[in-house]
C-alpha cells in the first residue's frame, strides 16, 4: 500500500522483493561477451553500470535519511533516471558535460570511466567489492554537497551540484534549461578553436590559446563534444527554445556545433504533466537537430542509442538530441505528496519500471550474475554509502561571509594593471608592426581627437591584436559595423572568425559568450540596446556570475558584454532605445559594470575590463551611452571639448583606470559643491557647473565611471571636501544608482547635506515628452541652488 510519498523504505523493499523473484540463467555468461547477440554492451560493462546505478540509488536513500534528522539540505534525487549511466558510458570522460540535477548515475559512471582500474598493488579496496575507491570518492562528493560541506570538490558547500573539473563536468546551478544556451555556445567555441590556433593554423589535438594573459590551454581535446541534460518540462522553457533555435539556425547556416542534448523525459514537471507525445513532437520538429530516442530503463538499448548519437555528433560536428524515456521515483523532492496529483496506479506503474531493477533483471537473465549476488552488491554499496554519509556529517560548513564570497569575483588589481602594462609593451614592441598594419599605417593616436564611438572602436582593435582568443559578436556588428558604427572595420581587419554577426536573440548571444569564455576564449558580445538585455538577464545573473562562485574558481566564463544604452537620443525610438534602468545589473553579485562618458576614459576602461576578464575571469558589462557616441562639443557648438586624443601604447600604463576608481573634474574653486554622476550626467553636470561658476559657485564633478563596484573611497573623499553632495542620476528614482550612492554616504558616516536629481519612475516616452521624465541641465542647476541655500 503506497503512502502519499514513496518512501526510501518503500523503494528499498520493492527492490529486494523483485530481486528474490529473478530466475537465474541456465549457465553463466563470459562477462567479456555482449549481453545479447549483436549488442554493444558487454556483461562486464553492464555490471559496471549496474554498480553506478546502485551507488546513485543509495545516495538518494542516504539523502532522505540525512534530511530526516536535519543534516541534509537537498533531496532532489536521481531515482528513476539511473539510465543516464549508459549515456556517460557512451561518451568520453573528456567530453564536457553540463548536467541536470537527476544525474547521480551519470556522475558515478563518469568517475569510474575517467579513472584507470587500480592494480593489485594499489592500496585501498580496489577489486574487493562493488564499492571501489572511485565510487567511494564519487559518493563522498555527492554527500558532501547534500550536507553543505566545505570539502565538497566543486561548490565547496555553496550548493549541491554535479561538477568536477577533472571529470569535465561543468556545474549548473539552475537546470531549468538556463544552461542550454551555454552548451550551444561552448559547442560553437570548441569547433572554432578546434579548427584554428591563434596564428590561424591547425594546433593539433590540443587547442592552444595565446594572448595578453599568457598562454593558456583549452581544457578539452579538439574532438570533444558537449553534452547537456535536462528534463522534459524544460523543453518548454524560453532558454531551451533559444538554444534549440540557435543550434538549428547555426547548422542551417553551415556552422558546426558538436552538442548532444539529452532530454530525460519522466513525463512530469513537479506536478504538471507533459502532454502525451508533446516532448517527442517538440524535439523531432527542431530543424537542424538530429533526433535519437531510447528507453532509459533498457540498458542495452540506452547504451546502443547513446553510443550512436555521440558518435554521430563527434563525426559530423553537428547537434543532436537524445530523447531518453525515464520514470521519477520518490516524487520530485523531499515531502512531495505525489498522490495529490497522480493516481496510485500511475505511481505503481512507474515503480514497476524501476531502471535499477531492470538492469538487475538483464544481468540475471543473461547469466552475468544471480539475484542473490546482485542483492549482495546492493547491500554492500548501501552500507558503504551510509558509512560515508556518517563521516561527512562532521565536516566543516562555511562559517563567515568572507568564506562564502571568496570565489565570487576575484579582484587582483595589481595583476590587472600589470596586464595592461604588458599589453602596452607588446603593442609598442614585438606587436608594433602588426598593429601598424591593422590600423593601415595610421594608428589611432595619430588620428587626432576621437569621439566616444571612435575611441571604443580603436580600443577593441587593440584588444583584438593583444588577445588572439578575443572575439567580437552580436547583431549587426560585422558587415554593418554596428548600428552606430562602433565596430566598423573590425571584421575587415580581423576576419569573420573573430568578428561575426549572430542571430537576433540576446539569450543566445550571451549563451555564446558563456560557452566561449568557458572554452578559454575572451568573448566580447554586444547587446544592441539596454532594453533588450532584460530578455536575457538570467544568462548573466544565473549562469555567468555564478560560475566561479559555484565552482570555487575551477571554471570561469570571462566576458565583456558591450551594451549600447541609456537615454537622451533626442526622443528617438521610445523606451526600447532610451532605456535608463540598470537596477537589474547592479543587483547581480560580482558583476563588474563600467559606464564610460569620455572618449579617453572609454578606451582605458575597456582595456581594464579586458584585462580583468583575462586575469580574474571577470564578467563585465560595458555600458556605452548612445547619446554620447558621436558627441563632439561640451559647452558650445564647435568647441570639440568632448573629443579626446587616443593614448599611444606607452601611455596606457600611466593612464590605467583601475576598477572602482572615479574621475573628478574641478570647476571654479571646486570648494562649494560636489556633484556625483555618471554617463550622460557627466556632460550635463559639467555644463551646469559652468553656469554655477558664473554665479561664484565652485563645483567638483565626480564621474563614478564604475556602477559596480562603486568607487566608495573616492565618493566619500569628494563628498567630505565640500559637505554638500548633489547626486545626478539619469536612471530612475526608485531602484536607481542614486540610491546606492546615498546609502554609501550614510554607511560611511557622511554628515553633510545631500540631495538627488533623478529620472522619474517612468518608461521613456517618444519624442519631446522624453524630456518630462529625464534629468535636465536646468534640474541639475536648480537642485544645486536648493542644496546651497540650506
Amino acid at each position: 500500500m503506497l503512502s502519499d510519498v514513496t518512501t526510501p523504505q518503500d523503494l528499498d523493499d520493492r527492490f529486494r522483493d523483485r530481486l528474490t523473484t529473478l530466475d537465474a540463467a541456465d549457465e553463466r555468461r563470459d562477462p567479456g561477451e555482449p549481453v545479447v547477440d549483436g549488442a554493444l554492451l558487454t556483461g562486464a560493462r553492464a555490471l559496471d553500470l549496474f554498480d553506478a546505478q546502485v551507488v546513485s540509488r543509495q545516495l538518494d536513500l542516504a539523502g532522505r535519511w540525512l534530511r530526516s534528522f536535519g543534516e541534509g539540505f537537498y533531496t532532489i534525487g536521481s531515482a528513476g533516471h539511473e539510465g543516464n549511466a549508459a549515456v556517460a558510458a557512451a561518451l568520453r570522460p573528456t567530453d564536457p558535460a553540463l548536467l541536470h540535477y537527476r544525474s547521480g548515475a551519470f556522475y558515478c559512471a563518469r568517475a569510474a570511466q575517467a579513472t584507470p582500474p587500480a592494480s593489485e598493488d594499489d592500496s585501498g579496496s580496489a577489486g574487493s567489492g562493488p564499492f571501489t575507491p572511485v565510487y567511494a570518492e564519487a559518493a563522498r562528493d555527492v554527500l558532501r554537497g547534500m550536507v553543505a560541506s566545505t570539502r565538497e570538490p566543486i561548490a565547496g558547500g555553496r550548493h549541491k551540484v554535479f561538477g568536477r573539473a577533472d571529470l569535465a563536468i561543468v556545474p549548473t546551478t539552475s537546470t531549468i534549461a538556463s544552461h542550454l544556451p551555454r552548451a550551444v555556445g561552448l559547442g560553437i567555441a570548441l569547433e572554432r578553436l578546434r579548427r584554428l590556433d591563434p596564428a590561424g593554423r591547425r594546433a593539433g589535438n590540443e587547442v592552444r590559446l595565446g594572448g595578453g594573459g599568457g598562454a593558456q590551454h583549452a581544457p578539452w581535446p579538439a574532438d570533444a563534444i558537449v553534452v547537456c541534460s535536462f528534463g522534459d518540462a524544460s523543453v518548454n522553457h524560453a532558454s531551451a527554445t533559444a538554444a534549440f533555435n540557435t543550434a538549428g539556425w547555426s547548422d542551417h547556416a553551415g556552422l558546426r556545433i558538436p552538442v548532444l542534448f539529452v532530454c530525460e523525459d519522466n513525463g512530469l514537471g513537479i506536478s504538471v504533466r507533459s502532454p502525451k507525445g508533446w516532448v517527442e513532437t517538440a524535439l523531432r520538429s527542431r530543424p537542424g537537430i538530429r533526433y535519437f530516442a531510447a528507453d532509459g530503463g533498457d540498458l542495452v538499448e540506452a547504451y546502443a542509442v547513446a553510443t550512436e548519437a555521440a558518435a554521430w555528433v563527434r563525426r559530423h560536428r553537428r547537434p543532436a538530441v537524445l530523447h531518453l524515456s525515464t520514470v521519477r521515483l520518490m516524487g520530485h523532492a523531499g515531502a512531495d505528496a505525489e498522490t495529490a496529483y497522480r493516481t496510485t496506479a500511475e505511481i505503481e506503474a512507474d515503480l514497476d519500471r524501476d531502471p535499477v531493477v531492470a538492469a538487475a533483471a538483464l544481468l540475471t537473465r543473461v547469466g552475468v550474475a544471480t539475484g542473490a549476488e546482485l542483492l549482495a552488491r546492493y547491500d554492500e554499496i548501501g552500507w558503504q554509502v551510509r558509512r560515508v554519509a556518517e563521516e561527512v556529517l562532521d565536516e566543516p560548513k562555511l562559517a563567515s561571509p568572507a568564506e562564502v564570497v571568496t570565489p565570487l569575483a576575484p579582484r587582483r588589481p595589481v595583476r590587472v594593471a600589470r596586464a595592461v602594462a604588458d599589453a602596452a609593451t607588446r603593442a609598442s614592441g614585438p606587436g608594433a608592426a602588426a598593429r601598424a598594419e591593422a590600423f593601415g599605417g595610421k594608428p589611432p593616436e595619430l588620428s587626432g581627437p576621437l569621439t566616444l564611438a571612435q575611441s571604443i572602436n580603436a580600443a577593441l582593435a587593440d584588444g583584438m591584436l593583444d588577445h588572439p582568443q578575443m572575439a567580437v559578436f552580436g547583431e549587426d556588428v560585422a558587415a554593418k559595423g554596428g548600428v552606430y558604427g562602433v565596430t566598423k572595420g573590425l571584421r575587415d581587419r580581423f576576419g569573420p572568425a573573430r568578428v561575426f554577426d549572430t542571430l537576433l536573440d540576446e539569450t543566445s548571444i550571451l549563451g555564446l559568450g558563456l560557452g566561449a569564455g568557458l572554452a578559454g576564449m575572451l568573448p566580447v558580445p554586444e547587446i544592441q540596446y539596454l532594453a533588450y538585455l532584460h530578455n536575457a538577464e538570467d544568462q548573466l545573473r544565473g549562469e555567468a556570475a555564478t560560475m566561479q562562485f559555484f565552482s570555487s574558481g575551477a571554471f570561469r566564463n570571462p566576458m565583456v558584454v558591450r551594451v549600447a544604452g541609456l537615454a537622451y537620443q533626442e526622443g528617438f525610438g521610445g523606451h526600447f532605445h532610451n532605456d535608463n534602468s540598470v537596477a537589474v545589473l547592479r543587483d547581480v553579485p560580482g558583476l563588474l559594470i563600467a559606464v564610460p562618458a569620455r572618449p579617453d576614459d572609454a578606451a582605458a576602461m575597456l582595456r581594464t575590463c579586458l584585462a580583468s576578464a583575462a586575469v580574474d575571469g571577470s564578467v563585465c558589462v560595458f555600458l556605452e551611452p548612445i547619446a554620447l557616441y558621436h558627441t563632439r562639443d561640451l559647452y558650445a557648438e564647435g568647441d570639440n571639448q568632448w573629443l579626446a586624443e587616443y593614448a599611444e601604447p606607452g601611455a596606457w600604463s600611466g593612464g590605467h583606470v583601475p576598477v572602482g576608481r572615479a574621475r573628478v573634474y574641478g570647476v571654479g574653486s571646486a570648494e562649494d559643491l560636489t556633484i556625483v554622476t555618471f554617463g550622460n550626467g557627466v556632460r550635463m553636470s559639467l555644463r551646469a557647473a559652468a553656469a554655477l561658476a558664473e554665479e561664484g559657485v565652485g563645483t567638483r564633478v565626480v564621474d563614478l565611471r564604475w556602477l559596480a563596484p562603486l568607487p566608495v573611497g573616492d565618493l566619500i573623499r569628494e563628498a567630505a571636501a565640500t559637505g554638500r553632495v548633489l547626486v545626478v542620476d539619469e536612471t530612475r528614482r526608485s531602484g536607481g544608482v542614486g540610491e546606492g550612492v546615498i546609502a554609501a554616504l550614510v554607511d560611511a558616516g557622511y554628515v553633510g547635506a545631500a540631495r538627488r536629481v533623478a529620472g522619474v519612475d517612468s518608461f521613456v516616452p517618444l519624442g519631446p515628452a522624453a524630456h518630462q521624465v529625464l534629468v535636465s541641465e536646468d534640474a541639475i542647476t536648480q537642485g544645486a541652488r536648493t542644496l546651497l541655500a540650506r
Side-chain angles (χ1 to χ4, degrees):
M1 182 70 178
L2 285 172
S3 60
D4 286 352
V5 182
T6 305
T7 66
Q9 188 64 49
D10 294 334
L11 207 56
D12 184 68
D13 288 346
R14 280 175 171 268
F15 182 81
R16 294 176 180 281
D17 290 344
R18 290 290 299 276
L19 258 64
T20 60
T21 66
L22 298 178
D23 295 328
D26 293 336
E27 59 183 47
R28 304 287 291 205
R29 178 181 293 267
D30 181 351
E33 295 296 320
V35 289
V36 294
D37 292 342
L40 294 176
L41 192 66
T42 66
R45 176 60 64 88
L47 188 59
D48 287 341
L49 294 181
F50 172 79
D51 287 342
Q53 291 180 321
V54 171
V55 175
S56 178
R57 176 64 57 85
Q58 294 289 2
L59 285 169
D60 287 348
L61 301 183
R64 299 298 178 100
W65 173 70
L66 289 165
R67 182 60 185 154
S68 70
F69 54 91
E71 291 289 350
F73 308 103
Y74 197 89
T75 55
I76 295 179
S78 304
H81 283 248
E82 290 92 350
N84 56 37
V87 180
L91 295 161
R92 297 175 185 171
T94 50
D95 290 330
L98 292 79
L99 305 177
H100 74 141
Y101 43 50
R102 301 194 190 277
S103 300
F106 185 110
Y107 187 83
C108 293
R110 169 63 67 91
Q113 185 186 36
T115 305
S119 70
E120 294 181 359
D121 295 332
D122 289 335
S123 61
S125 59
S128 62
F131 198 66
T132 64
V134 171
Y135 285 141
E137 183 180 14
R140 195 177 299 275
D141 291 347
V142 176
L143 289 165
R144 281 172 165 164
M146 291 178 181
V147 302
S149 166
T150 58
R151 295 174 185 169
E152 191 272 336
I154 192 72
R158 293 170 185 84
H159 197 24
K160 191 273 182 187
V161 296
F162 290 112
R164 223 172 81 186
D166 62 325
L167 298 182
I169 298 178
V170 180
T172 60
T173 60
S174 178
T175 52
I176 312 302
S178 64
H179 60 306
L180 269 64
R182 179 200 293 277
V184 173
L186 179 55
I188 292 174
L190 287 183
E191 187 60 14
R192 286 178 178 270
L193 293 172
R194 185 181 76 89
R195 292 173 178 272
L196 297 173
D197 72 358
R201 299 181 298 271
R202 283 303 302 263
N205 193 50
E206 185 181 56
V207 180
R208 292 180 179 272
L209 303 176
Q216 296 177 328
H217 294 274
W220 301 293
D223 63 346
I225 68 172
V226 182
V227 60
C228 63
S229 61
F230 52 97
D232 53 288
S234 295
V235 167
N236 306 298
H237 198 278
S239 296
T241 299
F244 296 144
N245 184 70
T246 300
W249 182 93
S250 301
D251 185 78
H252 188 77
L255 301 175
R256 293 292 177 248
I257 309 181
V259 176
L260 178 61
F261 299 103
V262 180
C263 178
E264 297 185 21
D265 182 0
N266 63 33
L268 290 163
I270 304 183
S271 66
V272 179
R273 304 170 192 267
S274 293
K276 188 174 179 59
W278 166 247
V279 176
E280 179 180 353
T281 300
L283 295 176
R284 276 189 180 274
S285 65
R286 300 293 180 183
I289 301 177
R290 178 75 175 268
Y291 178 83
F292 296 86
D295 179 0
D298 183 337
L299 270 186
V300 175
E301 179 182 317
Y303 180 69
V305 176
T307 299
E308 180 187 5
W312 188 89
V313 173
R314 200 179 308 279
R315 180 171 65 254
H316 296 286
R317 317 302 293 172
R318 297 177 63 188
V321 60
L322 171 59
H323 183 192
L324 197 69
S325 62
T326 67
V327 293
R328 189 189 72 189
L329 306 179
M330 293 198 296
H332 174 70
D336 176 22
E338 287 190 282
T339 53
Y341 55 89
R342 303 185 76 193
T343 67
T344 300
E346 289 173 328
I347 299 172
E348 290 275 6
D350 277 0
L351 287 164
D352 288 340
R353 294 174 56 203
D354 186 334
V356 187
V357 172
L362 169 70
L363 291 166
T364 57
R365 184 173 65 251
V366 302
V368 173
T370 67
E373 290 169 344
L374 295 178
L375 185 56
R377 298 177 83 90
Y378 176 83
D379 283 337
E380 171 67 14
I381 290 172
W383 179 82
Q384 294 283 8
V385 167
R386 183 66 63 90
R387 178 182 59 80
V388 174
E390 292 175 351
E391 289 174 358
V392 302
L393 282 175
D394 294 328
E395 291 186 350
K397 309 292 193 294
L398 295 167
S400 70
E403 282 187 88
V404 173
V405 304
T406 292
L408 174 63
R411 296 277 185 259
R412 292 174 288 189
V414 174
R415 293 190 185 185
V416 170
R418 187 183 305 131
V420 171
D422 290 345
T425 299
R426 288 187 292 271
S428 59
R435 186 170 185 265
E437 181 181 357
F439 285 110
K442 189 176 183 181
E445 60 266 26
L446 300 181
S447 299
L450 304 180
T451 63
L452 183 74
Q454 290 169 332
S455 185
I456 293 171
N457 179 279
L460 285 170
D462 271 323
M464 296 284 279
L465 288 165
D466 192 58
H467 299 276
Q469 72 272 38
M470 177 175 157
V472 173
F473 52 89
E475 301 163 26
D476 303 304
V477 303
K480 184 179 176 67
V483 292
Y484 293 97
V486 180
T487 57
K488 185 177 181 180
L490 293 181
R491 187 185 70 164
D492 294 339
R493 292 176 187 171
F494 301 102
R498 299 185 63 199
V499 181
F500 53 91
D501 292 323
T502 64
L503 76 175
L504 194 156
D505 176 50
E506 287 75 22
T507 294
S508 295
I509 291 170
L510 293 179
L512 174 54
L514 290 168
L518 191 62
M521 296 178 67
L522 182 56
V524 183
E526 178 185 301
I527 302 298
Q528 199 165 96
Y529 291 101
L530 176 60
Y532 296 102
L533 176 67
H534 306 311
N535 300 334
E537 183 269 337
D538 188 54
Q539 291 294 296
L540 288 180
R541 182 197 65 82
E543 291 290 323
T546 61
M547 179 51 72
Q548 295 198 87
F549 183 72
F550 286 123
S551 72
S552 301
F555 293 102
R556 63 184 206 168
N557 39 221
M559 57 196 300
V560 179
V561 185
R562 293 182 45 251
V563 184
L566 302 176
Y568 298 98
Q569 291 196 77
E570 300 300 326
F572 166 76
H575 81 279
F576 268 94
H577 299 82
N578 287 275
D579 186 9
N580 63 340
S581 175
V582 299
V584 74
L585 292 173
R586 294 193 66 247
D587 186 55
V588 179
L591 197 66
L592 194 159
I593 307 172
V595 185
R598 296 270 309 180
D600 46 350
D601 277 344
M605 292 169 69
L606 183 54
R607 282 191 287 271
T608 298
C609 286
L610 291 173
S612 184
V615 170
D616 292 330
S618 301
V619 180
C620 312
V621 173
F622 196 75
L623 181 57
E624 302 164 6
I626 297 172
L628 298 178
Y629 270 150
H630 306 299
T631 297
R632 305 178 68 87
D633 305 322
L634 174 55
Y635 298 115
E637 184 175 353
D639 69 13
N640 287 336
Q641 289 194 44
W642 206 253
L643 303 178
E645 300 284 345
Y646 188 85
E648 54 89 19
W652 292 357
S653 184
H656 172 56
V657 177
V659 171
R661 292 303 307 270
R663 179 172 180 173
V664 182
Y665 300 84
V667 181
S669 67
E671 295 178 351
D672 302 309
L673 173 69
T674 299
I675 298 179
V676 178
T677 187
F678 63 95
N680 293 289
V682 177
R683 183 172 180 272
M684 290 189 294
S685 295
L686 287 171
R687 290 168 63 90
L692 291 169
E694 294 179 357
E695 303 172 13
V697 176
T699 305
R700 297 166 182 248
V701 176
V702 179
D703 178 3
L704 294 170
R705 298 196 292 196
W706 306 93
L707 302 188
L710 283 171
V712 175
D714 295 337
L715 171 64
I716 301 305
R717 183 189 65 246
E718 298 303 323
T722 65
R724 298 184 184 90
V725 174
L726 180 67
V727 181
V728 175
D729 179 8
E730 64 176 291
T731 63
R732 300 167 192 169
R733 178 167 290 273
S734 298
V737 176
E739 289 184 341
V741 172
I742 295 295
L745 289 171
V746 171
D747 288 347
Y750 173 73
V751 294
R755 183 179 178 84
R756 279 193 297 160
V757 177
V760 174
D761 289 344
S762 169
F763 300 105
V764 180
L766 190 65
H771 298 297
Q772 303 302 316
V773 299
L774 296 174
V775 172
S776 67
E777 290 177 28
D778 286 344
I780 297 170
T781 305
Q782 185 56 47
R785 290 174 180 146
T786 300
L787 190 60
L788 290 164
R790 288 184 179 180

